[in-house]
Amino acid sequence: MLHRNAAVFAAVLGLGRAGSKIGDFWSQSDWCAQVKGASDTAPVIYENPVTKTKSTHGTVDGRRACIHHCLTYTATQAAFVGVGSRALGIRLHPGAAVTALAVSGITHYIADRRVPGGVLETLATKTGKGSFYKLAAHGLNGAFHLDSSWHHGWETVAALIAATKATAR
């Protein structure tokens, strides 16, 4: 039983990570990527890459862009975990799967809103990583790496949740 649970966890984590990367970078629109951190105090000017028109976006658009991104991200993750689990003969409990996806999607939103003084920046500052968060030199981007590690951690929690009630077919 222990080995089966560990194997299910590893499979779900791997599938979830793959879905996460595709959802975060390929499924996300350019508009969402640029506008999701917009706020009224730090508006974002978005230039449409096709029409070259510019528009200014504040808090409402930032929230809307981040929600849209998190929905497509979570849907992509659900597809990877769902199809992969089926192919591997793993039956995930629907409630556990939904809870796991909710954990991943909600924590993704918390990190990706990235408004000035947002959760990640505040957490980084309080843990002595504020300078690293702001680093954007020498081929590194501290905010990106802290964001990515935040997602990895929560996706691991989500995989544990999904794997707890899974059964083999």
Side-chain angles (χ1 to χ4, degrees):
M1 184 71 144
L2 177 63
H3 290 100
R4 184 192 58 78
N5 289 348
V8 168
F9 164 72
V12 171
L13 180 60
L15 293 164
R17 285 296 312 131
S20 168
K21 286 298 187 185
I22 299 296
D24 213 9
F25 299 113
W26 288 96
S27 298
Q28 180 173 207
S29 71
D30 183 61
W31 185 80
C32 288
Q34 292 191 44
V35 176
K36 67 186 177 186
S39 68
D40 292 341
T41 57
V44 169
I45 298 171
Y46 174 73
E47 182 177 347
N48 184 305
V50 176
T51 65
K52 303 297 182 198
T53 57
K54 293 182 181 180
S55 53
T56 303
H57 303 276
T59 301
V60 171
D61 288 338
R63 288 178 181 152
R64 185 177 297 131
C66 198
I67 287 169
H68 185 267
H69 164 55
C70 290
L71 289 172
T72 60
Y73 164 88
T74 304
T76 304
Q77 220 175 17
F80 269 74
V81 172
V83 170
S85 293
R86 187 166 182 82
L88 294 170
I90 299 168
R91 185 175 304 157
L92 298 176
H93 185 277
V98 168
T99 301
L101 288 167
V103 165
S104 182
I106 290 167
T107 59
H108 199 89
Y109 178 90
I110 289 168
D112 276 22
R113 263 302 276 145
R114 246 190 248 159
V115 294
V119 172
L120 281 185
E121 184 177 9
T122 300
L123 185 61
T125 301
K126 289 185 184 234
T127 59
K129 300 286 183 198
S131 294
F132 182 67
Y133 181 86
K134 293 174 183 166
L135 177 66
H138 312 293
L140 291 174
N141 181 308
F144 173 81
H145 286 292
L146 291 174
D147 171 278
S148 186
S149 64
W150 167 276
H151 296 324
H152 287 259
W154 285 108
E155 288 159 6
T156 302
V157 171
L160 283 168
I161 291 167
T164 56
K165 295 184 178 184
T167 58
R169 283 189 244 172

